[in-house]
Amino acid sequence: MPKLEFVCLLGASGSIGCSALDVINQHKGRFSLHSAAAHSNTQKMAEISKEYPNAKLALFDKNSALELQKITGKKVLAGMDGLLELVSDSACDLVINGLTGSVGCEPTLKAIEHGKKVALANKETLVMAGKIIKEALQKNPASQITPVDSEHNAIFQCLAGRGTFEVESLQITASGGPFREWPAEKFSEITLKDALNHPVWSMGKKITIDSASMMNKGLEVIEAHFLFDISYDQIKVVVHPQSIVHSLAQFRDGSMIAQLGTPDMRIPILNAMTFPERLYLDTKRISLPEIQKLTFFEPDFEKFPCLALAYEAGKAGGTRAAVLNAANEVLVNAFLQEKISFMDIPRGIECCLEKIEEQSDVDLEKILLADFLARKAANFYISN
Ligand code: MG
């Protein structure tokens, strides 16, 4: 019988966190919750603490950590230090990183340095610091990253451990978001409500806006580049509104392998936790005759400039993707607060990329500095 694995869940109160808790509950004999961390949601964390009284707790927001400590009567770790303490705890075997944004980067790196298995949903980790993460993985061979992002987990399943030298291209599917069929001239009228209305996936707010702008797909292209060690020219985006085919690999012999399933994040989460094993999961099965038709389109780079910007930043390397990512995070946040328009997101990012000097030969310090400068430049764009 496989031994019980102790899971540290980062981003426990979010959409990935809730799905991961359900997966853990479906496999209680296999997984146990070692610890849970979130940004500031004390209510959800108190519920988790009730259900898993032995789980250690951390909140990124220090005031919320104090509040949770009062509610639960348990010690609650706080801030980035708290998160890093959880992932480096010797009693934890597997880290699920479901944090949103660049805050997820340092915990991933720390977990790798401590030889942990990391089921990675936080794509910003690889977008910002892909090169550094890869170097850390080489130095710590006991550690391993398995992708949770549905497209990357799909490719991971299609490759099934083969090297990418046999691969001609990876094809990342995109639902196309709510504006796929909108004419370009209507994009200036897009409201927050329109953008939050995702046709297929139910996700956190930040990623829903990224899906609407297709920046999510752009970040996923960069993520795929680092995860699978493949050039940007070999990574294609294909729009597939039904979100049943989660991505594909085209091999050099002409075979194309795809992974299909219900759009349900519990499937890639479980796969990332147990790879190469497959365990039972109670989810809806797809019926092809019921679906009848799957459609595919080329992406529109002109209507969705974020996608083009991400390819460019990825190809340029160095700190460019970290700048793109940080600027996007700040601008999306401003759009969520209705301070800027939807098309200000790509315009603002472009402005930040122009302003901030390129840096090659990156280390974590340079990455964090680029992240800081990009945030400053994005805030300047918003207030002007
Ligand atoms: Mg995805």
Side-chain angles (χ1 to χ4, degrees):
M1 225 175 79
K3 78 170 180 80
L4 192 62
E5 277 186 82
F6 287 89
V7 179
C8 165
L9 180 57
L10 304 180
S13 65
S15 149
I16 293 286
C18 293
S19 297
L21 285 171
D22 186 77
V23 169
I24 293 169
N25 278 334
Q26 288 197 38
H27 288 285
K28 280 193 171 138
R30 177 70 183 262
F31 298 108
S32 176
L33 193 69
H34 162 267
S35 51
H39 182 267
S40 52
N41 191 336
T42 50
Q43 203 196 327
K44 179 76 200 173
M45 289 291 280
E47 282 169 28
I48 294 173
S49 170
K50 224 177 182 178
E51 209 180 333
Y52 302 93
N54 295 326
K56 296 186 176 183
L57 306 173
L59 281 175
F60 187 72
D61 181 71
K62 291 185 178 161
N63 290 329
S64 307
L66 288 174
E67 202 188 312
L68 182 62
Q69 200 155 301
K70 269 187 215 146
I71 300 172
T72 59
K74 278 165 70 175
K75 183 181 169 197
V76 178
L77 300 169
M80 180 56 83
D81 289 346
L83 268 53
L84 299 181
E85 192 175 326
L86 292 187
V87 301
S88 44
D89 192 316
S90 60
C92 139
D93 304 302
L94 166 68
V95 175
I96 300 177
N97 187 345
L99 294 167
T100 300
S102 54
V103 70
C105 183
E106 281 180 81
T108 306
L109 195 57
K110 185 62 102 185
I112 294 170
E113 285 166 3
H114 282 80
K116 311 290 182 192
K117 288 203 314 192
V118 183
L120 186 66
N122 176 267
K123 62 192 73 175
E124 289 85 351
T125 290
L126 287 166
V127 170
M128 288 173 74
K131 197 167 161 254
I132 296 163
I133 297 289
K134 277 175 72 177
E135 285 164 5
L137 282 168
Q138 272 160 10
K139 269 190 224 156
N140 300 279
S143 178
Q144 152 197 326
I145 285 187
T146 48
V148 169
D149 207 346
S150 60
E151 296 77 3
H152 304 76
N153 184 264
I155 291 171
F156 190 66
Q157 293 192 44
C158 295
L159 296 179
R162 299 167 173 279
T164 25
F165 65 94
E166 291 177 344
V167 169
E168 234 163 51
S169 68
L170 299 177
Q171 311 210 358
I172 302 180
T173 52
S175 72
F179 308 126
R180 185 174 63 84
E181 291 185 307
W182 280 42
E185 53 287 2
K186 269 188 77 187
F187 271 47
S188 58
E189 298 162 23
I190 290 172
T191 66
L192 178 58
K193 203 170 148 244
D194 297 329
L196 283 175
N197 184 25
H198 197 277
V200 191
W201 293 94
S202 145
M203 308 172 287
K205 276 186 183 169
K206 197 256 175 187
I207 190 168
T208 303
I209 301 302
D210 283 345
S211 296
S213 70
M214 289 197 77
M215 178 55 95
N216 184 49
K217 223 34 66 177
L219 299 178
E220 287 178 354
V221 167
I222 302 174
E223 189 186 0
H225 166 77
F226 288 113
L227 267 175
F228 304 113
D229 226 339
I230 194 154
S231 79
Y232 284 99
D233 297 330
Q234 288 171 284
I235 306 171
K236 314 252 181 276
V237 170
V238 57
V239 176
H240 167 49
Q242 297 83 15
S243 293
I244 295 294
V245 176
H246 297 304
S247 278
L248 319 91
Q250 166 75 64
F251 291 91
R252 60 183 176 184
D253 62 356
S255 290
M256 189 182 255
I257 297 184
Q259 187 260 344
L260 284 72
T262 313
D264 182 332
M265 285 310 292
R266 291 175 301 171
I267 299 171
I269 289 170
L270 177 65
N271 183 272
M273 290 168 79
T274 63
F275 177 84
E277 227 184 310
R278 282 186 195 272
L279 301 188
Y280 175 77
L281 191 65
D282 183 13
T283 54
K284 191 171 175 271
R285 274 39 177 169
I286 49 171
S287 152
L288 292 175
E290 237 171 70
I291 296 168
Q292 290 190 352
K293 212 157 93 178
L294 296 172
T295 54
F296 301 91
F297 307 92
E298 290 283 354
D300 188 332
F301 285 87
E302 269 166 41
K303 248 165 62 173
F304 299 99
C306 284
L307 188 55
L309 287 169
Y311 262 103
E312 272 168 43
K315 283 181 187 171
T319 51
R320 299 313 272 166
V323 170
L324 169 104
N325 174 61
N328 179 58
E329 224 171 282
V330 173
L331 292 156
V332 167
N333 207 16
F335 175 69
L336 283 171
Q337 294 169 30
E338 298 186 288
K339 286 184 187 164
I340 57 168
S341 75
F342 186 70
M343 290 312 281
D344 272 324
I345 299 172
R347 274 195 293 267
I349 294 169
E350 224 179 329
C351 185
C352 294
L353 283 165
E354 265 166 34
K355 261 191 187 166
I356 296 164
E357 216 183 303
E358 291 197 37
Q359 294 271 354
S360 48
D361 254 351
V362 291
D363 52 27
L364 190 61
E365 212 173 302
K366 276 189 190 164
I367 295 279
L368 295 176
L369 178 65
D371 179 277
F372 169 78
L373 292 174
R375 278 164 206 279
K376 216 168 124 184
N379 277 313
F380 183 79
Y381 177 88
I382 293 158
S383 56
N384 284 278

